[in-house]
Amino acid sequence: MKTPTPLPVEQIPETLPRTQAHARPDSSSDVLVVGAGPTGLACAIEAQKAGFKALIVDKGCLVNSIYHYPNNMVFFTTPELLEIGDIPFTTSLPKPTRLEALEYYRRVAEHYHLHIRQYEWVKTITGGDGKFRVTTTDRHSAIHDYGARKIVVATGYYDLANQIGIPGEDLDKVFHYYREPHPYYDADVVVIGGKNSAAEAALDLWRHGARVTLVHRGPQMHHHVKYWVRPDIENRIKAGEIVARFNSTVQEIGADFVVLRTPSGPQRLKNDFVFALTGYHPDYDFLRSVGIELSDEQMRPVCDPENLESNIPGIYVAGVIVAGSRTNEIFIENGRFHGKLIAAHLSEKLGGGNPNFPLDAT
Ligand SMILES: Cc1cc2nc3c(=O)[nH]c(=O)nc-3n(C[C@H](O)[C@H](O)[C@H](O)COP(=O)(O)OP(=O)(O)OC[C@H]3O[C@@H](n4cnc5c(N)ncnc54)[C@H](O)[C@@H]3O)c2cc1C
């Protein structure tokens, strides 16, 4: 059987001109991890524990996705289920806040002396097993090159929002991420969606003085809504404090209005801002550009479930991307164990760690 290899570099979409890449890589590692989310950190920690030299590269900051969650977000998971690297995570209340999680993952990175290149966007992965070449661009458009024997792709799903595909979705007043309520005081705001993000944004906006209409295509709030948020949103809707339009969709967004399709016919509402909180998806183009095959239906990367090696020998997938479009199947709670699976396979394949580590770590 022919061994699959990454795409030839000229076929990679939006690739970098290879002439600009450095002849010698900036540094070499046993394992290069793409993505400094909880999973990427866990993978690097487990690889280090097995004696390998690991480098993590992230296009944003450490745990970039969590950093971009709503400012006052509270996790649905208890802290011990977010732990990585056997470092305890304790919080004063039963559920950690976003700020506590940021603090925790910073401490873990420090504790393990992880090598992390922040604000470098991985653009290409070329070469083959044992001899990969990774090219990144930094915030100043400078290009960096890395060599690695193995690659772990742990790129998450929070960077790409699902588009609804309606006129006006590209207006400045439309957002796919919610951060904080203050700018929307005394404004007419539509929140699209029926899951946690939509429920929590609608409540926060309403509590801080916005007039909120929640539009959801389903008949009620989704059953995944956090057990302590669900009665809150349902009671606000019952009381008419938040207007809900169920079995409804937004058809068009204009400068100062939105048009809804509702069971009782079209409705035009005065509107200042729209939060389209309809989910996110992994960067399938990036995965394909690396040569990783995706299943037809759920876009799951083809990989060995025992060790997460993809169809490209030497390239592993980890974290939420393993579930393809089913982003609610893998989260921090279970994705954090991928590091151990991969590290065990690395030991098997590479025959134990680099005896010089960490003396020659760059
Ligand atoms: C609002 C919200 C609340 C949540 N609450 C919980 C919870 O309570 N419990 C729970 O277990 N899960 C929760 N989740 C889900 C959980 O956060 C994700 O499943 C988890 O972050 C996935 O981890 P990951 O490491 O796979 O990906 P991520 O955390 O998304 O990390 C991926 C990283 O890869 C980087 N990256 C992407 N592409 C590139 C590239 N080309 N080059 C370099 N870097 C790149 C990104 O910047 C990012 O830092 C929540 C999600 C959301 C949106």
Side-chain angles (χ1 to χ4, degrees), residues 12-16 123-124:
I12 297 175
E14 290 186 38
T15 189
L16 294 162
K123 296 289 179 162
T124 66

Side-chain angles (χ1 to χ4, degrees), residues 249-322:
T249 53
V250 176
Q251 294 293 289
E252 185 189 345
I253 303 170
D256 58 359
F257 69 91
V258 293
V259 179
L260 311 185
R261 182 195 286 167
T262 76
S264 51
Q267 202 180 10
R268 187 182 162 107
L269 303 180
K270 179 176 166 304
N271 174 263
D272 298 308
F273 298 101
V274 174
F275 286 92
L277 304 177
T278 50
Y280 308 90
H281 60 272
D283 188 346
Y284 303 125
D285 289 342
F286 175 72
L287 297 175
R288 284 198 199 95
S289 78
V290 171
I292 296 172
E293 262 176 56
L294 304 176
S295 70
D296 287 343
E297 268 195 11
Q298 296 174 344
M299 311 291 266
R300 290 175 194 263
V302 171
C303 66
D304 182 337
E306 301 286 317
N307 53 49
L308 302 177
E309 190 172 31
S310 73
N311 59 299
I312 306 285
I315 300 189
Y316 297 80
V317 284
V320 63
I321 60 166
V322 174

Side-chain angles (χ1 to χ4, degrees), residues 34-41 57-66 69-70 73-77 81-82 120-123 154-159 197 200 226 280 283 286 318-321 327 330-335:
V34 188
T39 308
L41 299 181
V57 182
D58 201 292
K59 65 191 179 60
C61 56
L62 179 80
V63 288
N64 195 41
S65 300
I66 296 175
Y69 290 170
M73 200 217 55
V74 175
F75 281 81
F76 55 79
T77 302
L81 300 178
L82 301 177
E120 283 193 37
W121 192 316
V122 173
K123 296 289 179 162
T155 44
Y157 72 113
Y158 200 54
D159 301 314
S197 299
E200 292 188 295
K226 293 169 187 167
Y280 308 90
D283 188 346
F286 175 72
V320 63
I321 60 166
T327 52
I330 297 178
F331 27 99
I332 304 171
E333 282 188 36
N334 45 5

Side-chain angles (χ1 to χ4, degrees), residues 230-251:
R230 198 182 168 100
D232 194 4
I233 184 82
E234 287 179 347
N235 287 337
R236 301 288 77 72
I237 291 170
K238 255 189 229 144
E241 291 158 327
I242 290 175
V243 176
R245 294 278 173 263
F246 290 118
N247 298 307
S248 301
T249 53
V250 176
Q251 294 293 289

